[in-house]
Amino acid sequence: MALDLETREQLLDMVARFVAGRLRPIEAKVSEDDAVPQDVIDEMKSLGLFGLSIPEEFGGLGLNMEEECLVGIELGRTSPAFRSVFGTNVGIGSQGLVMFGTDEQKAKWLPGIASGDIITSFALTEPEAGSDSASVQTRAIRDGDDYVLNGSKRYITNAGKASLFTVMARTNPETKGGSGVSAFLVPRDLPGLSVSKPEKKMGQQGAHIHDVTFENVRVPAWNRLGEEGEGFKVAMQVLDRGRLHIAAVCVGVAERLIRDCVAYAGERKQFGQAIANFQLIQAMLADSKTEALAAKALVMETARKRDAGQNVTLEAAASKLFASEMVGRVADRAVQIFGGAGYVADYGIERLYRDVRIFRIYEGTSQIQQVIIARETMKQGG
């Protein structure tokens, strides 16, 4: 159920004030330390950010897709590392359980996910299965009342702190493609599950990714999400929502960069006047603003369609493709407008330039989004 307009505006105002007053001032420190302070994480919990998309009956805010995207835009106005702290709880780490979990599974885990006491991760990518997600090689072999998991996953966000993983594993080794893959809820404390040290990354310091290894991990059959062989369906529906969320965050980052550029261009003087007076600077601002507006319109229209119960696989892929490519262009123009100041760390522009690069990769690369868009367009006849 959608929030009433007054409640929605209060929520967005609260998030905006938290971003501006609490998060933006410590962006540089978080990047330098490669860690989000625990007291900030505790504040995120108290604000309900870990449970944005979790149904109210389990302690979450129960936002619909349009509302989640509006919050995502506000969160995009600061370092993406902050959103990543709770992003898996809101999106790919929880939505398989929300969409496909049994009543008992939901009752066991969703309240802790909503409060932030349980951190979730989504374990799909493998050394040989990234864009080709149907080529999952991690095995889950049935043994009595359990499945025995063996394999490894790569680049898993929040795995270092996760206490519950949604894991895609092949339950039918004789079947190729997605039809042989099933989804499992795997608690971190099961024997045989191990997590590597965090990877060193190009950007988004403070958000961590890890390898996760399963060596004869016995998972109760009760922990399976949906029926055997439905894992690929679970993953794709989770990713539809996740792509919209990421697209909204891209819009927020772009809007923040544009505002920073406008402020800097109004202050920076060359040839005796503010560089904002130069038409070539204005052209870069105009292109960035136009693209950000177009991305926002596409994201919000798609979110409303999803809330209305329509299939938005094509539109979600288009939103993610356009918004993630757009914010990359906006960040590049921002460096150009700031000039030398954009290349050094003082203004944070170079940090955001690096941070946004990942948006064109996770939740499916831009090339995978193109494949999905083309496939769905041909299905629909144009």
Side-chain angles (χ1 to χ4, degrees):
M1 181 180 295
L3 300 176
D4 63 80
L5 185 59
E6 182 180 359
T7 302
R8 186 176 82 174
E9 291 306 312
Q10 288 174 346
L11 172 63
L12 294 175
D13 180 65
M14 176 196 74
V15 174
R17 285 186 285 107
F18 181 62
V19 166
R22 190 72 174 96
L23 302 185
R24 282 195 62 162
I26 63 171
E27 288 175 342
K29 177 174 174 52
V30 166
S31 179
E32 183 177 345
D33 295 346
D34 195 19
V36 177
Q38 185 58 49
D39 61 333
V40 173
I41 296 174
D42 292 339
E43 289 178 54
M44 292 175 177
K45 291 180 180 180
S46 67
L47 292 174
L49 296 181
F50 283 84
L52 291 175
S53 61
I54 306 300
E56 290 183 83
E57 63 187 291
F58 299 107
L61 298 184
L63 301 188
N64 64 23
M65 196 70 244
E66 180 181 7
E67 293 159 350
E68 184 181 328
C69 285
L70 289 170
V71 172
I73 291 171
E74 294 299 331
L75 292 169
R77 303 188 201 282
T78 187
S79 168
F82 291 115
R83 183 211 61 88
S84 188
V85 169
F86 56 85
T88 47
N89 274 39
V90 171
I92 56 177
S94 70
Q95 289 307 297
L97 178 56
V98 171
M99 296 177 191
F100 294 92
T102 64
D103 291 342
E104 293 79 8
Q105 289 170 337
K106 292 177 181 179
K108 180 174 181 178
W109 283 302
L110 285 181
I113 295 172
S115 68
D117 293 333
I118 294 174
I119 303 299
T120 62
S121 274
F122 183 70
L124 172 60
T125 300
E126 299 179 358
E128 300 299 326
S131 294
D132 185 9
S133 53
S135 293
V136 165
Q137 295 301 309
T138 296
R139 296 291 181 87
I141 304 302
R142 186 70 181 253
D143 183 21
D145 292 332
D146 298 330
Y147 286 86
V148 180
L149 268 64
N150 282 282
S152 61
K153 301 292 182 176
R154 296 213 73 183
Y155 311 135
I156 306 304
T157 302
N158 283 340
K161 294 186 176 180
S163 50
L164 182 67
F165 295 87
T166 299
V167 180
M168 299 296 149
R170 188 165 297 282
T171 45
N172 186 349
E174 304 303 320
T175 303
K176 295 183 179 180
S179 60
V181 176
S182 301
F184 298 90
L185 297 165
V186 183
R188 183 198 186 95
D189 58 3
L190 292 182
L193 191 157
S194 60
V195 178
S196 73
K197 294 180 179 179
E199 300 278 0
K200 292 183 178 180
K201 310 190 309 302
M202 177 181 180
Q204 293 204 23
Q205 279 67 42
H208 300 136
I209 59 175
H210 308 253
D211 286 357
V212 182
T213 302
F214 306 91
E215 295 182 2
N216 295 319
V217 178
R218 299 191 73 88
V219 179
W222 186 87
N223 290 32
R224 191 185 63 223
L225 271 179
E227 299 299 322
E228 266 200 16
E230 287 189 344
F232 194 69
K233 180 175 76 172
V234 172
M236 293 305 101
Q237 291 194 29
V238 167
L239 288 171
D240 274 354
R241 183 176 184 124
R243 286 164 181 157
L244 268 178
H245 179 99
I246 292 299
V249 175
C250 289
V251 171
V253 178
E255 290 184 349
R256 181 256 178 88
L257 284 166
I258 292 166
R259 290 182 183 181
D260 288 354
C261 286
V262 168
Y264 183 80
E267 297 171 356
R268 174 66 169 164
K269 289 184 170 55
Q270 290 289 282
F271 305 102
Q273 59 182 309
I275 64 172
N277 293 330
F278 301 139
Q279 288 184 329
L280 291 178
I281 297 293
Q282 293 172 4
M284 286 190 281
L285 290 172
D287 286 347
S288 294
K289 185 66 174 180
T290 301
E291 290 188 60
L293 286 171
K296 185 174 185 178
L298 177 58
V299 169
M300 298 312 300
E301 178 186 16
T302 302
R304 287 188 284 269
K305 283 184 176 180
R306 188 184 188 282
D307 288 335
Q310 298 181 39
N311 183 313
V312 294
T313 295
L314 188 158
E315 291 88 346
S319 297
K320 199 268 183 179
L321 171 65
F322 186 76
S324 62
E325 294 285 342
M326 173 276 298
V327 75
R329 292 189 292 269
V330 171
D332 186 73
R333 294 185 196 115
V335 173
Q336 200 69 15
I337 290 170
F338 274 73
Y343 198 72
V344 300
D346 292 354
Y347 290 86
I349 299 300
E350 61 82 28
R351 185 184 65 246
L352 286 172
Y353 178 85
R354 290 182 287 107
D355 286 346
V356 302
R357 187 59 183 86
I358 189 65
F359 289 140
R360 285 182 269 172
I361 297 174
Y362 61 25
E363 257 80 351
T365 64
S366 291
Q367 289 67 41
I368 289 298
Q369 307 311 318
Q370 290 173 315
V371 170
I372 294 169
I373 295 163
R375 181 193 69 207
E376 295 298 315
T377 299
M378 289 187 285
K379 279 184 183 178
Q380 298 173 17

